[in-house]
Amino acid sequence: MLRSILVIITIPLVVIHFAILYFWVFDWRKLVTQVGLISWIGSIILGVLVYFAYRKFIKNQKFTVVSRKVLFSSTLMTIVLGVLALVIEAITSSMP
């Protein structure tokens, strides 16, 4: 039961992470709106929580191992994009 709930949460979450990547590359203005920032931060928090749920409750099933790795990779990518966005913002705001 828990496995199916985690899978149901994981698939849309990975899609949201890749949508954030798409908007970060092609239309970053949509990510700096209130809705964009809420979805960005919320997807990171939910990704971390679901990843730890996978680690704690479900172990050594081939599908869940792959699903856990995909979720970890996409969450890590979203965190890196957030850090890069903050660095870019800091650099551009310090320019005269």
Side-chain angles (χ1 to χ4, degrees):
M1 173 80 175
L2 181 63
R3 179 178 170 260
S4 62
I5 292 172
L6 288 176
V7 170
I8 290 171
I9 294 172
T10 300
I11 293 170
L13 189 59
V14 170
V15 170
I16 290 171
H17 286 164
F18 282 104
I20 289 171
L21 173 65
Y22 173 80
F23 285 125
W24 196 85
V25 171
F26 293 110
D27 195 9
W28 61 270
R29 288 183 183 94
K30 290 185 180 177
L31 283 178
V32 294
T33 63
Q34 185 177 9
V35 173
L37 290 174
I38 289 171
S39 64
W40 200 344
I41 294 168
S43 70
I44 290 172
I45 292 170
L46 188 60
V48 170
L49 291 175
V50 171
Y51 174 74
F52 283 126
Y54 269 119
R55 287 193 61 192
K56 183 171 181 156
F57 297 117
I58 302 173
K59 299 180 187 219
N60 297 334
Q61 294 176 355
K62 187 173 182 175
F63 180 76
T64 56
V65 170
V66 171
S67 181
R68 185 176 71 204
K69 287 182 181 182
V70 168
L71 178 67
F72 177 75
S73 301
S74 68
T75 304
L76 185 64
M77 173 200 63
T78 308
I79 292 170
V80 168
L81 289 177
V83 169
L84 284 174
L86 291 174
V87 168
I88 291 170
E89 179 63 31
I91 289 172
T92 57
S93 67
S94 68
M95 291 180 168

Coordinates of all heavy atoms in Angstrom, one line a residue:
M1 N 0.8 -1.2 0.0 CA 0.0 0.0 0.0 C 0.9 1.3 0.0 O 0.7 2.2 -0.8 CB -0.9 0.0 1.2 CG -1.7 1.2 1.4 SD -3.1 1.2 0.4 CE -3.9 2.7 0.9
L2 N 1.9 1.3 0.9 CA 2.7 2.5 1.0 C 3.5 2.6 -0.3 O 3.8 3.7 -0.8 CB 3.7 2.3 2.2 CG 4.6 3.5 2.4 CD1 3.9 4.8 2.7 CD2 5.6 3.2 3.5
R3 N 4.0 1.5 -0.9 CA 4.7 1.5 -2.1 C 3.9 2.2 -3.2 O 4.5 3.0 -4.0 CB 5.1 0.1 -2.5 CG 5.9 0.0 -3.8 CD 6.3 -1.5 -4.1 NE 6.8 -1.6 -5.4 CZ 6.1 -2.0 -6.4 NH1 4.9 -2.4 -6.3 NH2 6.7 -2.1 -7.6
S4 N 2.7 1.8 -3.4 CA 1.9 2.4 -4.4 C 1.6 3.9 -4.2 O 1.6 4.7 -5.1 CB 0.5 1.7 -4.6 OG -0.2 1.8 -3.4
I5 N 1.5 4.3 -2.9 CA 1.3 5.7 -2.6 C 2.6 6.5 -3.0 O 2.5 7.6 -3.6 CB 0.9 5.9 -1.1 CG1 -0.5 5.4 -0.9 CG2 1.0 7.4 -0.7 CD1 -0.9 5.4 0.6
L6 N 3.7 6.0 -2.6 CA 5.0 6.6 -3.0 C 5.2 6.7 -4.5 O 5.7 7.8 -4.9 CB 6.1 5.9 -2.3 CG 6.3 6.0 -0.8 CD1 7.4 5.2 -0.2 CD2 6.4 7.5 -0.4
V7 N 4.8 5.7 -5.2 CA 4.9 5.8 -6.7 C 4.0 6.8 -7.2 O 4.4 7.6 -8.1 CB 4.7 4.4 -7.3 CG1 4.6 4.5 -8.8 CG2 5.8 3.4 -6.9
I8 N 2.8 6.9 -6.7 CA 1.8 7.9 -7.2 C 2.3 9.3 -6.9 O 2.1 10.2 -7.7 CB 0.4 7.6 -6.5 CG1 -0.2 6.3 -7.1 CG2 -0.5 8.8 -6.7 CD1 -1.4 5.9 -6.3
I9 N 3.0 9.5 -5.8 CA 3.6 10.8 -5.5 C 4.8 11.1 -6.3 O 5.1 12.2 -6.8 CB 3.9 10.9 -4.0 CG1 2.6 10.9 -3.2 CG2 4.7 12.2 -3.7 CD1 2.8 10.8 -1.7
T10 N 5.7 10.0 -6.6 CA 6.9 10.2 -7.2 C 6.8 10.6 -8.7 O 7.5 11.5 -9.1 CB 7.8 8.9 -7.1 OG1 8.0 8.6 -5.7 CG2 9.1 9.0 -7.8
I11 N 5.9 10.0 -9.4 CA 5.8 10.3 -10.8 C 5.5 11.7 -11.1 O 6.2 12.4 -11.9 CB 4.9 9.3 -11.5 CG1 5.5 7.9 -11.5 CG2 4.6 9.7 -13.0 CD1 4.5 6.8 -11.9
P12 N 4.4 12.3 -10.5 CA 4.1 13.7 -10.8 C 5.2 14.7 -10.2 O 5.5 15.7 -10.8 CB 2.8 14.0 -10.1 CG 2.2 12.7 -9.8 CD 3.3 11.7 -9.7
L13 N 5.9 14.2 -9.2 CA 6.9 15.1 -8.6 C 8.1 15.2 -9.5 O 8.7 16.3 -9.7 CB 7.3 14.5 -7.2 CG 8.3 15.4 -6.4 CD1 7.6 16.7 -6.1 CD2 8.6 14.7 -5.1
V14 N 8.5 14.1 -10.1 CA 9.6 14.1 -11.1 C 9.2 14.9 -12.3 O 10.0 15.7 -12.9 CB 10.0 12.7 -11.5 CG1 11.0 12.7 -12.7 CG2 10.6 12.0 -10.3
V15 N 8.0 14.9 -12.7 CA 7.5 15.7 -13.9 C 7.6 17.2 -13.5 O 8.0 18.0 -14.3 CB 6.1 15.3 -14.3 CG1 5.5 16.3 -15.2 CG2 6.1 13.9 -14.9
I16 N 7.2 17.5 -12.3 CA 7.3 18.9 -11.8 C 8.7 19.4 -11.8 O 9.0 20.5 -12.2 CB 6.6 19.1 -10.4 CG1 5.1 18.9 -10.6 CG2 7.0 20.4 -9.8 CD1 4.4 18.8 -9.2
H17 N 9.6 18.5 -11.3 CA 11.0 18.9 -11.3 C 11.6 19.2 -12.7 O 12.3 20.1 -12.9 CB 11.9 17.7 -10.7 CG 11.7 17.7 -9.2 ND1 12.1 16.6 -8.5 CD2 11.2 18.5 -8.3 CE1 11.8 16.8 -7.2 NE2 11.3 18.0 -7.1
F18 N 11.2 18.3 -13.7 CA 11.6 18.6 -15.0 C 10.9 19.8 -15.7 O 11.5 20.5 -16.5 CB 11.5 17.4 -15.9 CG 12.6 16.4 -15.7 CD1 12.4 15.2 -14.9 CD2 13.9 16.6 -16.1 CE1 13.4 14.3 -14.6 CE2 14.9 15.7 -15.9 CZ 14.7 14.6 -15.1
A19 N 9.7 20.1 -15.2 CA 9.1 21.4 -15.7 C 9.8 22.6 -15.1 O 10.0 23.6 -15.8 CB 7.6 21.4 -15.2
I20 N 10.3 22.5 -13.9 CA 11.1 23.5 -13.3 C 12.4 23.7 -14.1 O 12.8 24.9 -14.4 CB 11.3 23.3 -11.8 CG1 10.0 23.4 -11.0 CG2 12.4 24.2 -11.3 CD1 10.1 23.0 -9.6
L21 N 13.0 22.6 -14.5 CA 14.2 22.7 -15.3 C 13.9 23.4 -16.6 O 14.6 24.3 -17.1 CB 14.8 21.3 -15.6 CG 16.0 21.3 -16.6 CD1 17.2 22.0 -16.0 CD2 16.3 19.8 -16.9
Y22 N 12.8 23.0 -17.2 CA 12.4 23.6 -18.5 C 12.2 25.1 -18.4 O 12.7 25.9 -19.1 CB 11.1 23.0 -19.0 CG 10.5 23.7 -20.3 CD1 11.1 23.4 -21.5 CD2 9.5 24.6 -20.1 CE1 10.6 24.1 -22.6 CE2 9.0 25.2 -21.2 CZ 9.5 25.0 -22.5 OH 9.0 25.6 -23.6
F23 N 11.4 25.5 -17.3 CA 11.2 27.0 -17.1 C 12.4 27.7 -16.7 O 12.6 28.9 -17.1 CB 10.1 27.2 -16.1 CG 8.7 26.9 -16.6 CD1 7.9 26.0 -15.9 CD2 8.2 27.5 -17.8 CE1 6.6 25.7 -16.4 CE2 7.0 27.2 -18.2 CZ 6.2 26.3 -17.6
W24 N 13.3 27.0 -16.0 CA 14.6 27.7 -15.6 C 15.4 28.0 -16.8 O 16.1 29.0 -16.9 CB 15.4 26.8 -14.7 CG 16.5 27.4 -13.9 CD1 16.4 28.1 -12.7 CD2 17.8 27.5 -14.3 NE1 17.6 28.6 -12.3 CE2 18.5 28.2 -13.3 CE3 18.6 27.0 -15.3 CZ2 19.9 28.4 -13.3 CZ3 19.9 27.2 -15.3 CH2 20.6 27.9 -14.3
V25 N 15.4 27.1 -17.8 CA 16.2 27.3 -19.0 C 15.6 28.3 -20.0 O 16.2 29.2 -20.5 CB 16.5 26.0 -19.7 CG1 17.2 26.2 -21.0 CG2 17.4 25.1 -18.8
F26 N 14.3 28.1 -20.2 CA 13.6 28.8 -21.3 C 12.8 30.0 -20.9 O 12.6 30.9 -21.7 CB 12.7 27.8 -22.1 CG 13.6 26.8 -22.9 CD1 13.5 25.5 -22.4 CD2 14.4 27.2 -23.9 CE1 14.3 24.5 -23.1 CE2 15.1 26.2 -24.6 CZ 15.1 24.9 -24.2
D27 N 12.2 30.0 -19.7 CA 11.3 31.1 -19.3 C 11.4 31.3 -17.8 O 10.4 31.0 -17.1 CB 9.9 30.9 -19.8 CG 9.0 32.1 -19.7 OD1 9.5 33.2 -19.5 OD2 7.8 31.9 -19.8
W28 N 12.5 31.8 -17.3 CA 12.8 31.9 -15.9 C 11.8 32.9 -15.2 O 11.7 32.8 -14.0 CB 14.2 32.3 -15.7 CG 14.6 33.7 -16.3 CD1 15.1 33.9 -17.5 CD2 14.5 35.0 -15.6 NE1 15.2 35.2 -17.7 CE2 14.9 35.9 -16.6 CE3 14.0 35.4 -14.4 CZ2 14.9 37.3 -16.3 CZ3 14.0 36.7 -14.1 CH2 14.4 37.7 -15.1
R29 N 11.2 33.8 -15.9 CA 10.3 34.8 -15.3 C 9.1 34.1 -14.6 O 8.6 34.6 -13.7 CB 9.9 35.8 -16.3 CG 11.0 36.8 -16.7 CD 10.5 37.9 -17.6 NE 11.6 38.7 -18.0 CZ 12.3 38.5 -19.1 NH1 12.0 37.5 -19.9 NH2 13.3 39.4 -19.4
K30 N 8.7 33.0 -15.1 CA 7.6 32.2 -14.5 C 8.0 31.6 -13.2 O 7.1 31.3 -12.4 CB 7.1 31.2 -15.5 CG 6.4 31.8 -16.7 CD 5.8 30.7 -17.5 CE 5.1 31.4 -18.7 NZ 4.5 30.4 -19.6
L31 N 9.3 31.4 -13.0 CA 9.7 30.7 -11.7 C 9.9 31.8 -10.6 O 9.9 31.4 -9.5 CB 11.0 30.0 -12.0 CG 11.0 28.7 -12.6 CD1 12.3 28.1 -12.8 CD2 10.1 27.7 -11.9
V32 N 10.0 33.0 -10.9 CA 10.2 34.0 -9.9 C 8.9 34.7 -9.5 O 8.9 35.6 -8.7 CB 11.2 35.1 -10.3 CG1 12.6 34.5 -10.5 CG2 10.8 35.8 -11.6
T33 N 7.8 34.1 -9.9 CA 6.5 34.6 -9.4 C 6.2 33.9 -8.1 O 6.9 32.9 -7.7 CB 5.4 34.3 -10.4 OG1 5.3 32.8 -10.6 CG2 5.6 34.9 -11.8
Q34 N 5.2 34.3 -7.4 CA 4.9 33.7 -6.1 C 4.5 32.2 -6.3 O 5.0 31.3 -5.6 CB 3.7 34.4 -5.5 CG 3.4 33.9 -4.1 CD 2.3 34.7 -3.4 OE1 1.6 35.5 -4.0 NE2 2.1 34.4 -2.2
V35 N 3.7 31.9 -7.3 CA 3.3 30.5 -7.6 C 4.6 29.7 -8.0 O 4.7 28.5 -7.5 CB 2.3 30.4 -8.7 CG1 2.0 29.0 -9.1 CG2 1.0 31.1 -8.2
G36 N 5.4 30.2 -8.8 CA 6.6 29.5 -9.2 C 7.6 29.2 -8.0 O 8.1 28.1 -7.9
L37 N 7.8 30.2 -7.1 CA 8.6 29.9 -6.0 C 8.0 28.9 -5.0 O 8.7 28.1 -4.4 CB 8.9 31.3 -5.3 CG 9.8 32.2 -6.0 CD1 9.9 33.5 -5.3 CD2 11.2 31.6 -6.3
I38 N 6.7 29.0 -4.8 CA 6.0 28.1 -3.9 C 6.1 26.7 -4.5 O 6.4 25.7 -3.8 CB 4.6 28.5 -3.7 CG1 4.5 29.7 -2.8 CG2 3.8 27.3 -3.1 CD1 3.1 30.3 -2.7
S39 N 5.9 26.5 -5.8 CA 6.1 25.2 -6.4 C 7.5 24.7 -6.4 O 7.7 23.5 -6.2 CB 5.5 25.2 -7.8 OG 6.3 26.0 -8.6
W40 N 8.4 25.6 -6.6 CA 9.9 25.2 -6.5 C 10.3 24.7 -5.1 O 10.8 23.6 -5.0 CB 10.7 26.4 -6.9 CG 12.1 26.2 -7.4 CD1 12.8 25.0 -7.2 CD2 12.9 27.1 -8.1 NE1 14.0 25.2 -7.8 CE2 14.1 26.4 -8.3 CE3 12.7 28.4 -8.5 CZ2 15.1 27.1 -9.0 CZ3 13.8 29.0 -9.2 CH2 15.0 28.3 -9.4
I41 N 10.0 25.5 -4.1 CA 10.3 25.1 -2.8 C 9.5 23.9 -2.3 O 10.1 23.0 -1.6 CB 10.2 26.3 -1.8 CG1 11.2 27.4 -2.2 CG2 10.4 25.9 -0.4 CD1 10.9 28.8 -1.5
G42 N 8.3 23.9 -2.6 CA 7.4 22.8 -2.2 C 7.8 21.5 -2.8 O 7.8 20.4 -2.2
S43 N 8.2 21.5 -4.1 CA 8.7 20.3 -4.8 C 10.0 19.8 -4.2 O 10.2 18.6 -4.1 CB 8.8 20.5 -6.3 OG 9.9 21.3 -6.6
I44 N 10.8 20.7 -3.8 CA 12.1 20.3 -3.1 C 11.8 19.6 -1.8 O 12.3 18.5 -1.5 CB 13.1 21.4 -3.0 CG1 13.6 21.9 -4.3 CG2 14.2 21.1 -2.0 CD1 14.4 23.2 -4.3
I45 N 11.0 20.2 -1.0 CA 10.6 19.7 0.3 C 9.9 18.3 0.2 O 10.3 17.3 0.9 CB 9.8 20.7 1.1 CG1 10.6 21.9 1.5 CG2 9.2 20.0 2.4 CD1 9.8 23.0 2.1
L46 N 9.0 18.2 -0.7 CA 8.3 17.0 -0.9 C 9.2 15.9 -1.5 O 9.1 14.7 -1.1 CB 7.1 17.2 -1.9 CG 6.1 16.0 -2.0 CD1 5.5 15.6 -0.7 CD2 5.1 16.3 -3.0
G47 N 10.1 16.3 -2.4 CA 11.1 15.3 -2.9 C 12.0 14.7 -1.8 O 12.2 13.5 -1.8
V48 N 12.4 15.6 -0.9 CA 13.3 15.1 0.2 C 12.5 14.2 1.1 O 13.0 13.1 1.5 CB 13.9 16.3 1.0 CG1 14.6 15.8 2.2 CG2 14.9 17.0 0.1
L49 N 11.3 14.6 1.4 CA 10.4 13.7 2.3 C 10.1 12.4 1.7 O 10.2 11.3 2.4 CB 9.1 14.5 2.7 CG 9.3 15.7 3.6 CD1 7.9 16.4 3.7 CD2 9.8 15.3 4.9
V50 N 9.8 12.4 0.4 CA 9.4 11.1 -0.2 C 10.7 10.2 -0.3 O 10.6 9.0 -0.2 CB 8.8 11.3 -1.6 CG1 8.6 10.1 -2.4 CG2 7.4 12.0 -1.4
Y51 N 11.8 10.8 -0.6 CA 13.1 10.1 -0.7 C 13.4 9.4 0.6 O 13.7 8.2 0.6 CB 14.2 11.0 -1.1 CG 15.6 10.3 -1.1 CD1 15.9 9.4 -2.1 CD2 16.5 10.5 -0.1 CE1 17.1 8.7 -2.1 CE2 17.7 9.8 0.0 CZ 18.0 8.9 -1.0 OH 19.2 8.3 -1.0
F52 N 13.2 10.1 1.7 CA 13.5 9.5 3.0 C 12.5 8.4 3.4 O 12.8 7.5 4.1 CB 13.6 10.5 4.1 CG 14.9 11.3 4.1 CD1 15.0 12.6 4.0 CD2 16.1 10.6 4.1 CE1 16.2 13.3 4.0 CE2 17.4 11.2 4.1 CZ 17.4 12.6 4.0
A53 N 11.2 8.6 2.9 CA 10.2 7.6 3.1 C 10.6 6.3 2.3 O 10.4 5.2 2.9 CB 8.9 8.1 2.6
Y54 N 11.1 6.5 1.1 CA 11.6 5.3 0.4 C 12.7 4.6 1.2 O 12.7 3.4 1.3 CB 12.2 5.7 -1.0 CG 11.2 5.7 -2.1 CD1 10.9 6.9 -2.8 CD2 10.6 4.5 -2.5 CE1 10.0 6.9 -3.9 CE2 9.7 4.5 -3.6 CZ 9.4 5.7 -4.3 OH 8.6 5.7 -5.3
R55 N 13.7 5.4 1.7 CA 14.8 4.8 2.4 C 14.4 4.1 3.6 O 15.0 3.0 4.0 CB 15.8 5.8 2.7 CG 16.6 6.3 1.5 CD 17.8 7.1 1.8 NE 18.7 6.3 2.6 CZ 19.7 6.8 3.2 NH1 20.0 8.0 3.2 NH2 20.5 6.0 3.9
K56 N 13.4 4.6 4.3 CA 13.0 4.0 5.6 C 12.1 2.8 5.5 O 12.3 1.8 6.2 CB 12.4 5.1 6.5 CG 12.0 4.6 7.8 CD 11.6 5.7 8.7 CE 11.3 5.1 10.1 NZ 11.3 6.0 11.2
F57 N 11.1 2.9 4.6 CA 10.1 1.9 4.6 C 10.3 0.8 3.5 O 9.8 -0.3 3.7 CB 8.7 2.6 4.4 CG 8.4 3.5 5.6 CD1 8.2 4.8 5.4 CD2 8.3 3.0 6.9 CE1 7.9 5.6 6.4 CE2 8.0 3.8 7.9 CZ 7.8 5.1 7.7
I58 N 10.8 1.1 2.4 CA 10.9 0.2 1.3 C 12.4 0.0 0.9 O 13.1 0.9 0.5 CB 10.1 0.7 0.1 CG1 8.7 0.9 0.5 CG2 10.2 -0.3 -1.1 CD1 7.8 1.6 -0.6
K59 N 12.8 -1.2 1.0 CA 14.2 -1.5 0.7 C 14.3 -2.7 -0.3 O 13.5 -3.6 -0.3 CB 15.0 -1.9 2.0 CG 14.9 -0.8 2.9 CD 15.7 -1.1 4.2 CE 15.5 0.0 5.2 NZ 16.6 0.4 5.9
N60 N 15.3 -2.6 -1.2 CA 15.7 -3.7 -2.0 C 14.7 -4.3 -2.9 O 14.7 -5.5 -3.2 CB 16.4 -4.8 -1.2 CG 17.6 -4.3 -0.4 OD1 18.3 -3.4 -0.9 ND2 17.9 -5.0 0.7
Q61 N 13.8 -3.5 -3.4 CA 12.9 -3.9 -4.5 C 13.4 -3.2 -5.7 O 13.6 -2.0 -5.7 CB 11.4 -3.6 -4.2 CG 10.9 -4.4 -3.0 CD 9.5 -4.0 -2.7 OE1 8.9 -3.1 -3.3 NE2 8.9 -4.7 -1.8
K62 N 13.5 -3.9 -6.8 CA 14.2 -3.3 -8.0 C 13.5 -2.0 -8.5 O 14.1 -1.0 -8.7 CB 14.2 -4.3 -9.1 CG 15.0 -3.9 -10.3 CD 15.2 -5.0 -11.3 CE 16.1 -4.5 -12.5 NZ 16.3 -5.5 -13.4
F63 N 12.2 -2.1 -8.6 CA 11.4 -0.9 -9.1 C 11.6 0.3 -8.1 O 11.8 1.4 -8.5 CB 10.0 -1.2 -9.2 CG 9.2 0.0 -9.7 CD1 9.2 0.4 -11.1 CD2 8.4 0.7 -8.9 CE1 8.5 1.4 -11.5 CE2 7.6 1.8 -9.3 CZ 7.7 2.1 -10.7
T64 N 11.5 0.0 -6.8 CA 11.6 1.1 -5.9 C 13.1 1.7 -5.8 O 13.2 2.9 -5.5 CB 11.2 0.7 -4.5 OG1 11.9 -0.4 -4.0 CG2 9.7 0.4 -4.5
V65 N 14.1 0.9 -6.0 CA 15.4 1.4 -6.1 C 15.6 2.3 -7.2 O 16.2 3.4 -7.1 CB 16.4 0.2 -6.1 CG1 17.8 0.7 -6.4 CG2 16.4 -0.6 -4.8
V66 N 15.1 1.9 -8.4 CA 15.2 2.8 -9.6 C 14.4 4.1 -9.3 O 14.8 5.2 -9.6 CB 14.7 2.1 -10.8 CG1 14.5 3.0 -12.0 CG2 15.6 0.9 -11.2
S67 N 13.2 3.9 -8.8 CA 12.3 5.1 -8.5 C 13.0 6.0 -7.5 O 12.9 7.3 -7.6 CB 11.0 4.6 -8.0 OG 10.1 5.7 -7.8
R68 N 13.6 5.5 -6.5 CA 14.3 6.3 -5.5 C 15.4 7.0 -6.1 O 15.6 8.2 -5.8 CB 14.7 5.4 -4.4 CG 15.3 6.1 -3.2 CD 15.7 5.2 -2.1 NE 16.9 4.4 -2.5 CZ 17.2 3.2 -2.0 NH1 16.4 2.7 -1.1 NH2 18.3 2.6 -2.4
K69 N 16.2 6.4 -7.0 CA 17.3 7.1 -7.6 C 16.9 8.2 -8.5 O 17.5 9.2 -8.6 CB 18.2 6.0 -8.3 CG 19.0 5.2 -7.4 CD 19.9 4.2 -8.2 CE 20.6 3.3 -7.3 NZ 21.5 2.4 -8.0
V70 N 15.8 7.9 -9.3 CA 15.3 9.0 -10.2 C 14.8 10.2 -9.3 O 15.0 11.3 -9.7 CB 14.2 8.4 -11.1 CG1 13.4 9.5 -11.8 CG2 14.8 7.4 -12.1
L71 N 14.1 9.9 -8.3 CA 13.6 10.9 -7.4 C 14.7 11.7 -6.8 O 14.7 13.0 -6.7 CB 12.7 10.4 -6.3 CG 12.1 11.4 -5.3 CD1 11.2 12.3 -6.0 CD2 11.5 10.7 -4.2
F72 N 15.8 11.0 -6.3 CA 16.9 11.7 -5.7 C 17.6 12.6 -6.7 O 18.0 13.7 -6.4 CB 17.9 10.7 -5.1 CG 19.1 11.3 -4.6 CD1 19.1 11.9 -3.4 CD2 20.3 11.2 -5.3 CE1 20.3 12.5 -2.8 CE2 21.5 11.8 -4.8 CZ 21.4 12.4 -3.5
S73 N 17.8 12.1 -8.0 CA 18.5 12.8 -9.0 C 17.7 14.1 -9.4 O 18.3 15.2 -9.5 CB 18.7 12.0 -10.2 OG 19.5 10.9 -9.9
S74 N 16.4 14.0 -9.5 CA 15.6 15.1 -9.9 C 15.5 16.1 -8.8 O 15.5 17.3 -9.1 CB 14.2 14.7 -10.4 OG 13.5 14.2 -9.3
T75 N 15.4 15.7 -7.6 CA 15.4 16.6 -6.4 C 16.7 17.3 -6.3 O 16.8 18.5 -6.1 CB 15.0 15.9 -5.1 OG1 13.8 15.2 -5.3 CG2 14.9 16.8 -4.0
L76 N 17.8 16.6 -6.5 CA 19.1 17.2 -6.4 C 19.3 18.2 -7.5 O 19.9 19.3 -7.3 CB 20.2 16.1 -6.5 CG 21.6 16.6 -6.3 CD1 21.8 17.2 -4.9 CD2 22.6 15.5 -6.5
M77 N 18.8 17.9 -8.7 CA 18.9 18.8 -9.8 C 18.1 20.1 -9.5 O 18.6 21.2 -9.8 CB 18.4 18.2 -11.1 CG 18.2 19.1 -12.3 SD 17.1 18.6 -13.5 CE 15.5 18.6 -12.7
T78 N 17.0 20.0 -8.9 CA 16.2 21.2 -8.6 C 16.8 22.0 -7.5 O 16.8 23.2 -7.6 CB 14.8 20.7 -8.1 OG1 14.2 19.8 -9.1 CG2 13.8 21.9 -8.0
I79 N 17.5 21.4 -6.6 CA 18.2 22.1 -5.5 C 19.4 22.9 -6.1 O 19.6 24.0 -5.8 CB 18.7 21.1 -4.4 CG1 17.5 20.6 -3.6 CG2 19.7 21.8 -3.5 CD1 17.8 19.5 -2.7
V80 N 20.1 22.2 -7.0 CA 21.2 22.9 -7.7 C 20.8 24.0 -8.5 O 21.4 25.1 -8.5 CB 22.0 21.8 -8.6 CG1 23.0 22.5 -9.5 CG2 22.7 20.8 -7.7
L81 N 19.6 23.9 -9.2 CA 19.1 25.0 -10.0 C 18.7 26.2 -9.1 O 19.0 27.4 -9.4 CB 17.9 24.6 -10.8 CG 18.1 23.7 -11.9 CD1 16.8 23.3 -12.6 CD2 19.0 24.3 -13.0
G82 N 18.2 25.9 -7.9 CA 17.9 26.9 -6.9 C 19.1 27.7 -6.4 O 19.1 28.9 -6.3
V83 N 20.2 26.9 -6.1 CA 21.4 27.5 -5.7 C 22.0 28.4 -6.8 O 22.5 29.5 -6.6 CB 22.4 26.4 -5.2 CG1 23.8 27.0 -5.0 CG2 21.9 25.8 -3.9
L84 N 22.0 27.8 -8.0 CA 22.5 28.6 -9.2 C 21.7 29.9 -9.4 O 22.3 30.9 -9.7 CB 22.5 27.8 -10.4 CG 23.6 26.7 -10.5 CD1 23.4 25.9 -11.8 CD2 25.0 27.4 -10.6
A85 N 20.4 29.8 -9.2 CA 19.6 31.0 -9.4 C 19.9 32.1 -8.3 O 20.0 33.3 -8.6 CB 18.1 30.6 -9.3
L86 N 20.2 31.6 -7.1 CA 20.6 32.5 -6.0 C 21.9 33.2 -6.3 O 22.1 34.4 -6.1 CB 20.5 31.9 -4.7 CG 19.2 31.5 -4.1 CD1 19.3 30.7 -2.9 CD2 18.3 32.7 -3.9
V87 N 22.9 32.4 -6.8 CA 24.2 32.9 -7.1 C 24.1 33.9 -8.3 O 24.7 35.0 -8.2 CB 25.1 31.7 -7.5 CG1 26.4 32.2 -8.1 CG2 25.4 30.9 -6.2
I88 N 23.4 33.6 -9.3 CA 23.2 34.5 -10.4 C 22.5 35.8 -9.9 O 22.9 36.9 -10.4 CB 22.4 33.8 -11.5 CG1 23.2 32.7 -12.2 CG2 21.9 34.8 -12.6 CD1 22.4 31.8 -13.1
E89 N 21.5 35.7 -9.1 CA 20.9 36.9 -8.6 C 21.8 37.7 -7.8 O 21.8 39.0 -7.9 CB 19.6 36.5 -7.7 CG 18.9 37.6 -7.1 CD 18.3 38.5 -8.2 OE1 17.9 38.1 -9.2 OE2 18.1 39.7 -7.9
A90 N 22.6 37.1 -6.9 CA 23.6 37.8 -6.1 C 24.6 38.5 -7.0 O 25.0 39.7 -6.7 CB 24.3 36.9 -5.1
I91 N 25.1 37.9 -8.0 CA 26.1 38.5 -8.9 C 25.5 39.6 -9.7 O 26.1 40.7 -9.8 CB 26.7 37.4 -9.9 CG1 27.5 36.4 -9.1 CG2 27.5 38.0 -11.0 CD1 28.0 35.2 -9.9
T92 N 24.3 39.4 -10.3 CA 23.7 40.5 -11.1 C 23.3 41.7 -10.2 O 23.3 42.8 -10.7 CB 22.6 40.0 -11.9 OG1 21.6 39.4 -11.0 CG2 23.0 39.0 -12.9
S93 N 22.9 41.5 -9.0 CA 22.5 42.6 -8.1 C 23.7 43.4 -7.6 O 23.5 44.5 -7.2 CB 21.6 42.1 -7.0 OG 22.4 41.3 -6.1
S94 N 24.8 42.8 -7.6 CA 26.0 43.5 -7.1 C 26.7 44.3 -8.2 O 27.6 45.1 -7.9 CB 27.0 42.5 -6.5 OG 27.6 41.7 -7.5
M95 N 26.2 44.2 -9.4 CA 26.8 44.9 -10.6 C 26.3 46.4 -10.5 O 25.1 46.6 -10.2 CB 26.4 44.3 -11.9 CG 27.1 43.0 -12.1 SD 26.6 42.3 -13.7 CE 27.7 41.0 -13.9
P96 N 27.1 47.3 -10.9 CA 26.6 48.7 -11.0 C 25.7 49.0 -12.1 O 25.6 48.3 -13.1 CB 27.9 49.5 -11.1 CG 29.0 48.6 -11.5 CD 28.5 47.2 -11.2

